[in-house]
Amino acid sequence: MIRGLGHIAGETDLLHQQHIKAAVADAYQAIGTGAGEAVVARLYSEDERRLLPEGAVTWALGVGNPVRRAELRPGETVLDVGSGGGIDSILAANFVSPGGRVIGIDVIEEMLARARANAAAAGVGDSCEFLHGEMEAIPLPADSVDAVISNGVINLSPRKSRVLAELYRVLRPGGRLTMADLLVESELPLEVKTSDAAWAG
Ligand SMILES: C[S@@+](CC[C@H](N)C(=O)[O-])C[C@H]1O[C@@H](n2cnc3c(N)ncnc32)[C@H](O)[C@@H]1O
């Protein structure tokens, strides 16, 4: 059965978006660990690995290494969108110290707790803050961050334009956005567009 056809009819669009958000949140709530070592082995260097506590490695769920390209500098404020277990927030904190800070946001409380514990274990707990929040409604004021990083997160949103507008709002003039993510280059079949597993995966 094809589910979630609400997006075809404009008036049910919001309900459909709620359905996708709930499916994504459920999937990340239920996720077990295991793939993190393989993700880190493929995407992070030995030098980066040495800065990471085991918990941050275990919970690595990203698709790239945005910090490596973000050109972060001491004193900067960085937003990590969908910070998960905190792997990129921890690496970013090493670049913005002294004087800078990293704010991670995520919708899953357990992820936020893991990120806080992992940042503390990495010795960067004082320069990292992890907030509950949605990328579609970022709980930060306008013009408040120098750089945004994100790793495998924006593809999960049913409102990608809204997310990009939010990132633009919170970035200071001249701010930078570095994201690693999944892209589709052609139209996806309806069965994929309406699959909870495809949205979450
Ligand atoms: C693929 S994981 C990536 C986590 C982390 N960036 C990393 O590289 O390990 C996606 C993360 O986005 C979070 N997430 C999902 N929907 C979100 C939303 N609407 N706003 C903020 N975070 C969200 C999930 O809870 C999960 O922690």
Side-chain angles (χ1 to χ4, degrees):
M1 183 178 99
I2 296 176
R3 287 189 288 159
L5 291 176
H7 71 293
I8 291 171
E11 71 270 25
T12 52
D13 190 46
L14 279 176
L15 270 183
H16 182 66
Q17 290 176 0
Q18 286 308 118
H19 174 94
I20 294 169
K21 277 169 133 176
V24 168
D26 286 352
Y28 280 94
Q29 191 92 51
I31 205 165
T33 57
E37 277 289 353
V39 170
V40 172
R42 190 162 53 88
L43 300 174
Y44 296 83
S45 69
E46 278 304 312
D47 284 348
E48 289 166 334
R49 174 75 178 77
R50 273 189 279 278
L51 298 170
L52 299 169
E54 204 46 48
V57 172
T58 305
W59 282 97
L61 293 166
V63 297
N65 187 329
V67 175
R68 207 180 277 173
R69 292 169 184 264
E71 299 180 4
L72 302 176
R73 296 183 282 270
E76 288 191 320
T77 299
V78 180
L79 168 64
D80 183 4
V81 177
S83 42
I87 182 167
D88 294 322
S89 298
I90 292 169
L91 294 175
N94 280 278
F95 281 96
V96 300
S97 295
R101 66 190 184 117
V102 179
I103 303 159
I105 64 160
D106 206 287
V107 283
I108 306 289
E109 288 292 352
E110 288 84 346
M111 288 291 190
L112 295 165
R114 288 177 194 119
R116 288 181 195 117
N118 291 333
V124 295
D126 289 347
S127 49
C128 290
E129 184 182 6
F130 294 96
L131 304 175
H132 187 266
E134 293 188 351
M135 58 183 148
E136 297 86 357
I138 296 173
L140 293 177
D143 299 344
S144 58
V145 307
D146 300 296
V148 172
I149 56 171
S150 185
N151 194 353
V153 179
I154 295 167
N155 75 89
L156 300 172
S157 178
R159 302 182 71 197
K160 294 175 182 60
S161 300
R162 166 76 190 178
V163 176
L164 293 175
E166 275 295 86
L167 301 182
Y168 185 75
R169 181 184 68 78
V170 299
L171 277 168
R172 295 188 175 118
R176 291 108 57 205
L177 164 62
T178 311
M179 55 194 251
D181 222 310
L182 307 177
L183 295 175
V184 287
E185 294 182 327
S186 56
E187 191 65 14
L188 292 170
L190 192 59
E191 286 77 9
V192 173
K193 281 185 180 173
T194 54
S195 153
D196 289 357
W199 273 99

